[in-house]
Amino acid sequence: MLAFTTALPSEARPLIDAFRLKRIFHEAPFAIYQGDEVFLIVSGIGAVASACAVGFLRGQMDAPAAWLNVGIAGNANLAVGEAMLANKITDAAGGRNWYPPRVFPWTGRDGALVTVPRPRSTYAAGEAYDMEAAGFYPAACRFADAELVQCLKIISDGPLSSASDLDKTAVANLVHGRMETVLQLAEILQSLCAESAYDWPNSALYEKILRQTRFSEAQKQQLKNHLRRLALLAPQADVGAMISLTGAQSAGRILRRLEARLGAASRDGGHG
């Protein structure tokens, strides 16, 4: 199952067409669309609206889902029309940060995304700006593992392209122009969601580690993310031997060992 959220109907239209979604619950407070194992909700603008929409949509679904927020964002460095997957989300109003984990290979562009309470006309280098992600992300993480919650933004404005010049046709065209990227990411997330319903590689090791060592909730998520990434990047690695489960170790030390092995696997090009 995959759940899309967008802020605007114009952002949603290319997704509705591509996935052949039909509107349901016409009397609901949000516009909701459904297709084959896919839902979409149009939240309206703003972080609070986005968080509310996530909760409302989850109440309409009868199974867990992966979550993907798709929409436009401003950026000083990227060209209009480029797509960016958020690897950091910052709430400009509250100062909180989130780091969506990446447990799948991704060859596209990624970067930092800042959620602001109102449109911006100034852009700091290296950051994209939207108005929903800081509401969407923590809300969706209440219903799914963090690696199943992602934000994909299409650059719509910057120092040379004002957001005030955008209309609904321009927004729809921007999203339509990146549908190949959306479809690729949707397929990845749907596959990960299906796998999460069953045993995943290293799941038995994950349970064994938790029985032997005390982890905080945040550390448990890190542990799961590291083990899943190692299953992809270094499938032949003997992870249990690598972290020496025979002796007493702290959660921090185990995580550091896994991080070191992940770094080596990445440098080796993902070979065991």
Side-chain angles (χ1 to χ4, degrees), residues 1-250:
M1 188 85 74
L2 178 62
F4 284 104
T5 74
T6 71
L8 303 171
S10 51
E11 294 169 331
R13 177 47 55 189
L15 306 178
I16 293 168
D17 293 342
F19 290 92
R20 300 180 180 179
L21 307 180
K22 302 296 183 183
R23 185 164 181 177
I24 58 175
F25 306 123
H26 286 268
E27 303 304 317
F30 301 97
I32 300 176
Y33 299 82
Q34 183 179 4
D36 184 18
E37 295 294 309
V38 175
F39 282 85
L40 181 148
I41 190 165
V42 180
S43 67
I45 294 172
V48 172
S50 189
C52 291
V54 167
F56 187 86
L57 181 57
R58 182 63 186 91
Q60 312 307 316
M61 299 188 299
D62 59 3
W67 293 81
L68 179 56
N69 171 245
V70 176
I72 59 173
N75 186 278
N77 306 107
L78 303 181
V80 169
E82 287 201 57
M84 186 198 85
L85 192 61
N87 58 19
K88 176 184 179 182
I89 296 169
T90 298
D91 179 4
R96 293 187 64 190
N97 296 302
W98 299 269
Y99 299 86
R102 196 75 44 79
V103 299
F104 50 86
W106 179 251
T107 57
R109 188 179 296 277
D110 56 14
L113 179 63
V114 180
T115 297
V116 293
R118 58 189 62 85
R120 291 186 67 127
S121 58
T122 59
Y123 308 82
E127 295 178 339
Y129 296 90
D130 87 331
M131 297 177 66
E132 287 77 40
F136 160 80
Y137 188 78
C141 284
R142 296 177 67 90
F143 306 116
D145 288 339
E147 62 266 27
L148 298 178
V149 183
Q150 302 290 334
C151 294
L152 182 72
K153 296 297 175 176
I154 295 91
I155 304 307
S156 58
D157 54 279
L160 302 179
S161 305
S162 173
S164 62
D165 295 334
L166 294 168
D167 59 22
K168 62 183 181 181
T169 300
V171 171
N173 287 341
L174 285 167
V175 177
H176 179 75
R178 284 295 173 176
M179 278 308 302
E180 183 176 348
T181 302
V182 173
L183 292 171
Q184 174 193 2
L185 188 54
E187 183 177 358
I188 289 170
L189 291 175
Q190 285 177 307
S191 178
L192 286 175
C193 187
E195 290 175 8
S196 70
Y198 306 97
D199 284 345
W200 43 276
N202 289 333
S203 61
L205 178 60
Y206 172 77
E207 298 297 336
K208 182 177 181 180
I209 293 171
L210 292 186
R211 286 195 297 270
Q212 296 183 197
T213 307
R214 183 181 180 86
F215 282 73
S216 70
E217 289 303 314
Q219 288 173 326
K220 288 178 184 178
Q221 187 62 58
Q222 285 182 284
L223 177 63
K224 182 183 289 187
N225 293 340
H226 291 347
L227 291 175
R228 283 185 166 174
R229 288 188 65 201
L230 276 171
L232 290 171
L233 296 176
Q236 306 305 319
D238 186 348
V239 182
M242 180 189 71
I243 58 179
S244 304
L245 290 177
T246 54
Q249 296 191 67
S250 68

